Amino acid sequence: MRVLYPFVAVLALILVAFLGGKVTGLQYMLGVVLPYLAFGVFIVGFCNRVMQWSKSPVPFRIPTTCGQGKSLPWIKQDRLDCPNNKLEVVGRMILEIFAFRSLFRNTRAEVHDGPKLVYGSSKSLWLFAILFHYAFLVIVLRHLRLFTEPIPFFVPLLEMGDGMMQMGVPRLYATDIVFLAAIAFLFLRRVSLRHIRYISLPADYFPLILIFAIGVTGLLMRYYYRVDITAIKQLTAGLASFSPILPAGIHPIFFIHVTLVCVLMAYFPFSKLMHLGGVFLSPTRNMSNNSRSVRHINPWNDPAIKPHSYAAYEDEFREFMKDAEIPVEKE
Amino acid sequence: MYDKGKIVPGLIIFVGLMLFAIFNNAGQKPQPPKLEKPEGYKECVLPVEEMKQSHMVLLNEWRDEVIREGKREQVKVGGKMFDKSLQRGCMHCHTSKKKFCDVCHEFASVYPYCWDCHIAPQRDMADQEAK
């Protein structure tokens, strides 16, 4: 069920877009109005979500310490895994964002005869996640060729590197294959491992299926139907310069692809995909573990309430304490 | 709002990156490429719509037929026979690579590697020398 609903939802979207792509009036809706709307929802929703997060106070230092913290001079500190200052935090965050270090540390727990619990390293999730994300990034950047005029210098460079294998025409891009293979792995991992399937919800399957469908329609468009790119670019580059022209005779597969992408953009701010922004704001990674050297003051403390030391407390209540036979430090 | 000093600049950078294409295109309306059509010929090898979308596939088929299968027989286009060849076929009618193929390819950011080995028509060289 939890796989079936998202699957049916994506199929329904494809069907709607396919039918809409055949009707001229709806073509304008799907090709011009929907992209603007979805993009607007994406940008505003994204910022709104981050602003909402920024309202949550983080009064304590809660970094996950994964190594030796700063201590006596002859004890070696693990600077990346237990950062003590801003520079070390920046190093930790850069590796987190560009190399997915937390995923690299992923483990697998197994129960063997005995019964004996065994933990082992499990790098496949990290490997396919990082392949997926970088392939996605390259694909998004390559799409700039359709939205920009003049085309920025790095787009042809990416295309050259990506098509380096010079297989077939239109040239096969390595990222296209990596992308589909990686997302297929991430999906199969969810459905085939019992314990992962148990914790998976429709909100986990929907983005996977949606992104897979986007990839497949994109590939069909480039390698199989070979839609007319000069015509499509008049629409897409037109969108980015606010003068979209909808040329006649665009293949329905294009509208399917665009509709699915628009759904992804509009869904983004309300879904787990917000980890794009969230990774920067994760307090377990972006805080330094320096609570032993710096005094952190709770931001919502009432400034009128002054710190109250034990000595002052005893001064205030000494008589009552003596009466109650509570030991006091000063007589 | 906490950590304003980091979150607000972060969001500004994010929005700026997302709007990259809009800044990049500012003040320009993308014009469809203006191609120099061959003079004196009316038809291409296949109907124009098909040529627009699938000329690379046709070229690939020709290449396989010629080089792998040795089928060098000519093809009939608009009543005349033409070589099944990139340089002596396509470029026989489309006399300029720069003013035909390249105009369109630059618009779509396509840089075929064919010209690493194949030679562009003489006209391009003549045009360049004349400049």
Side-chain angles (χ1 to χ4, degrees), chain A residues 107-177:
Chain A
T107 52
R108 176 180 47 211
E110 275 167 12
V111 181
H112 287 265
D113 287 342
K116 206 164 137 193
L117 185 61
V118 178
Y119 291 98
S121 118
S122 168
K123 301 278 183 254
S124 58
L125 176 61
W126 170 82
L127 179 69
F128 284 93
I130 203 158
L131 284 176
F132 168 74
H133 283 82
Y134 276 104
F136 205 150
L137 178 67
V138 171
I139 290 173
V140 167
L141 290 179
R142 275 204 282 97
H143 273 69
L144 279 178
R145 76 167 172 153
L146 300 171
F147 293 96
T148 53
E149 186 62 37
I151 298 170
F153 71 96
F154 56 83
V155 175
L157 285 179
L158 276 177
E159 282 167 347
M160 193 177 77
D162 209 350
M164 196 164 61
M165 291 186 293
Q166 301 195 338
M167 266 155 65
V169 282
R171 217 177 308 171
L172 181 73
Y173 287 136
T175 47
D176 289 357
I177 302 306

Side-chain angles (χ1 to χ4, degrees), chain A residues 45-300:
Chain A
F46 191 102
C47 294
N48 189 41
R49 194 55 182 273
V50 171
M51 296 303 270
Q52 226 170 301
W53 282 334
S54 78
K55 297 208 174 85
S56 319
V58 187
F60 306 117
R61 294 274 134 173
I62 50 167
T64 313
T65 57
C66 307
Q68 173 63 49
K70 188 173 162 65
S71 176
L72 297 165
W74 39 270
I75 298 178
K76 195 165 171 283
Q77 181 203 354
D78 194 338
R79 290 166 58 115
L80 283 173
D81 282 323
C82 196
N84 185 63
N85 55 34
K86 280 215 174 91
L87 186 73
E88 290 162 5
V89 167
V90 168
R92 189 185 204 195
M93 286 300 285
I94 286 178
L95 282 173
E96 182 65 40
I97 288 160
F98 290 104
F100 300 1
R101 247 171 126 243
S102 303
L103 269 192
F104 195 69
R105 217 180 270 121
N106 188 33
T107 52
R108 176 180 47 211
E110 275 167 12
V111 181
H112 287 265
D113 287 342
K116 206 164 137 193
L117 185 61
V118 178
Y119 291 98
S121 118
S122 168
K123 301 278 183 254
S124 58
L125 176 61
W126 170 82
L127 179 69
F128 284 93
I130 203 158
L131 284 176
F132 168 74
H133 283 82
Y134 276 104
F136 205 150
L137 178 67
V138 171
I139 290 173
V140 167
L141 290 179
R142 275 204 282 97
H143 273 69
L144 279 178
R145 76 167 172 153
L146 300 171
F147 293 96
T148 53
E149 186 62 37
I151 298 170
F153 71 96
F154 56 83
V155 175
L157 285 179
L158 276 177
E159 282 167 347
M160 193 177 77
D162 209 350
M164 196 164 61
M165 291 186 293
Q166 301 195 338
M167 266 155 65
V169 282
R171 217 177 308 171
L172 181 73
Y173 287 136
T175 47
D176 289 357
I177 302 306
V178 169
F179 180 78
L180 279 193
I183 191 121
F185 171 87
L186 295 176
F187 177 78
L188 289 178
R189 169 179 169 274
R190 273 199 188 276
V191 286
S192 63
L193 297 182
R194 246 189 322 159
H195 48 292
I196 311 264
R197 188 171 62 226
Y198 182 71
I199 58 166
S200 295
L201 297 171
D204 295 311
Y205 292 115
F206 181 67
L208 286 173
I209 298 173
L210 184 65
I211 291 172
F212 188 79
I214 289 174
V216 170
T217 50
L219 256 64
L220 280 178
M221 198 156 48
R222 177 177 161 83
Y223 300 104
Y224 185 74
Y225 294 106
R226 285 188 303 278
V227 293
D228 184 352
I229 294 192
T230 42
I232 283 179
K233 185 163 177 181
Q234 286 176 48
L235 172 63
T236 50
L239 284 173
S241 13
F242 301 106
S243 55
I245 309 160
L246 191 72
I250 297 186
H251 197 281
I253 186 88
F254 170 75
F255 291 100
I256 300 182
H257 187 69
V258 167
T259 307
L260 293 179
V261 172
C262 289
V263 170
L264 182 68
M265 281 200 293
Y267 172 70
F268 200 98
F270 311 101
S271 68
K272 62 186 271 191
L273 300 174
M274 267 309 286
H275 67 272
L276 168 60
V279 67
F280 292 90
L281 274 79
S282 31
T284 57
R285 293 292 178 281
N286 69 12
M287 300 191 107
S288 47
N289 179 30
N290 60 358
S291 34
R292 279 174 218 81
S293 48
V294 180
R295 175 141 186 254
H296 296 282
I297 294 169
N298 189 344
W300 65 75

